[in-house]
Amino acid sequence: MAEEVKLFGVWASPLSKRVEIALKLKGVKYEYIEEDLTNKSPLLLKYNPVHKKIPVLVHNGKPIAESICLLVLWNSFWSKGKEREAAIGEACEHLKTLENELGDKKFFGGEEIGLVDIVANFIGFWLGASQELSGLELLTEEKFPKLSKWIHEYVNHTAIKENLPPRDKLIEALSARFGAASK
Ligand SMILES: N[C@@H](CCC(=O)N[C@@H](CS)C(=O)NCC(=O)O)C(=O)O
């Protein structure tokens, strides 16, 4: 039987891109359906009726709706007040753990890109754009030299490079949603 794989996503979302990158790396063919989160499609609501969120992967009619969240990093940039302060503290701890795990390896699993790299895709691409827009310097080369090197390897990997959203367009979309500096 022919396999049918569909992905409901949003072009600027690191969560949708995680799924797309994994499918591309595995060579799985899929149909991509761009969602408008201000006007969700009946199919998205059918496949993710409880959370009504993207990404949703549908394999032969069966939906899978969870890509693992990244709320602490996201909230470091875009939440406010005490919630933001707590998020920044927690995010730094997680970044330190990742920095130590990486050691001198190219990717988290060694020479080849793998699941942990894909899960960390926000750090690989979205974090830089968020830092630029918000003015918050969560990850610098000085504080996190190994992660900084990993970011370089990540965005320059062929499968990743070809599947990231345009940086300018992403910054524009983030800016439209959150405004400029939220220092
Ligand atoms: N835990 C979910 C979170 C998904 C999520 O937060 N998706 C956002 C976009 S990146 C969404 O669909 N938001 C729409 C809404 O909340 O109405 C995952 O990792 O897949």
Side-chain angles (χ1 to χ4, degrees), residues 80-127:
K80 298 241 180 298
K82 287 236 171 328
E83 188 187 4
R84 186 172 189 218
E85 270 170 51
I88 291 174
E90 211 184 310
C92 282
E93 288 310 310
H94 290 319
L95 291 176
K96 279 183 208 154
T97 306
L98 291 174
E99 175 86 1
N100 291 336
E101 275 306 312
L102 201 53
D104 293 318
K105 289 175 293 190
K106 185 170 174 185
F107 294 111
F108 282 97
E111 275 305 298
E112 298 298 326
I113 202 153
L115 185 64
V116 179
D117 303 283
I118 299 172
V119 169
N121 78 339
F122 181 84
I123 302 170
F125 186 69
W126 282 260
L127 183 135

Side-chain angles (χ1 to χ4, degrees), residues 68-169:
I68 309 177
C69 225
L70 45 81
L71 226 45
V72 156
L73 280 172
W74 185 260
N75 285 346
S76 299
F77 293 105
W78 311 120
S79 67
K80 298 241 180 298
K82 287 236 171 328
E83 188 187 4
R84 186 172 189 218
E85 270 170 51
I88 291 174
E90 211 184 310
C92 282
E93 288 310 310
H94 290 319
L95 291 176
K96 279 183 208 154
T97 306
L98 291 174
E99 175 86 1
N100 291 336
E101 275 306 312
L102 201 53
D104 293 318
K105 289 175 293 190
K106 185 170 174 185
F107 294 111
F108 282 97
E111 275 305 298
E112 298 298 326
I113 202 153
L115 185 64
V116 179
D117 303 283
I118 299 172
V119 169
N121 78 339
F122 181 84
I123 302 170
F125 186 69
W126 282 260
L127 183 135
S130 304
Q131 293 204 152
E132 188 180 318
L133 189 65
S134 70
L136 172 69
E137 295 222 306
L138 204 58
L139 191 156
T140 60
E141 208 170 338
E142 209 181 5
K143 282 192 275 181
F144 296 102
K146 293 180 195 305
L147 272 176
S148 301
K149 194 165 157 281
W150 172 84
I151 289 174
H152 180 78
E153 298 288 359
Y154 187 75
V155 292
N156 283 300
H157 186 288
T158 332
I160 307 301
K161 203 161 43 180
E162 286 169 1
N163 288 297
L164 291 174
R167 200 167 189 279
D168 294 0
K169 217 176 140 208

Side-chain angles (χ1 to χ4, degrees), residues 8-122:
F8 293 79
V10 167
W11 68 271
S13 161
L15 309 182
S16 311
K17 284 291 172 190
R18 260 186 198 146
V19 184
E20 275 197 88
I21 286 168
L23 291 170
K24 292 253 166 78
L25 278 168
K26 288 281 174 200
V28 176
K29 293 222 176 345
Y30 62 97
E31 180 192 344
Y32 176 76
I33 299 131
E34 175 74 17
E35 276 294 326
D36 172 1
L37 294 181
T38 62
N39 181 21
K40 296 172 184 173
S41 73
L43 273 180
L44 176 67
L45 302 179
K46 172 185 157 195
Y47 286 128
N48 193 358
V50 177
H51 299 295
K52 307 178 173 68
K53 291 187 176 186
I54 57 92
V56 179
L57 180 76
V58 184
H59 178 218
N60 292 339
K62 276 198 232 125
I64 306 168
E66 185 52 57
S67 86
I68 309 177
C69 225
L70 45 81
L71 226 45
V72 156
L73 280 172
W74 185 260
N75 285 346
S76 299
F77 293 105
W78 311 120
S79 67
K80 298 241 180 298
K82 287 236 171 328
E83 188 187 4
R84 186 172 189 218
E85 270 170 51
I88 291 174
E90 211 184 310
C92 282
E93 288 310 310
H94 290 319
L95 291 176
K96 279 183 208 154
T97 306
L98 291 174
E99 175 86 1
N100 291 336
E101 275 306 312
L102 201 53
D104 293 318
K105 289 175 293 190
K106 185 170 174 185
F107 294 111
F108 282 97
E111 275 305 298
E112 298 298 326
I113 202 153
L115 185 64
V116 179
D117 303 283
I118 299 172
V119 169
N121 78 339
F122 181 84

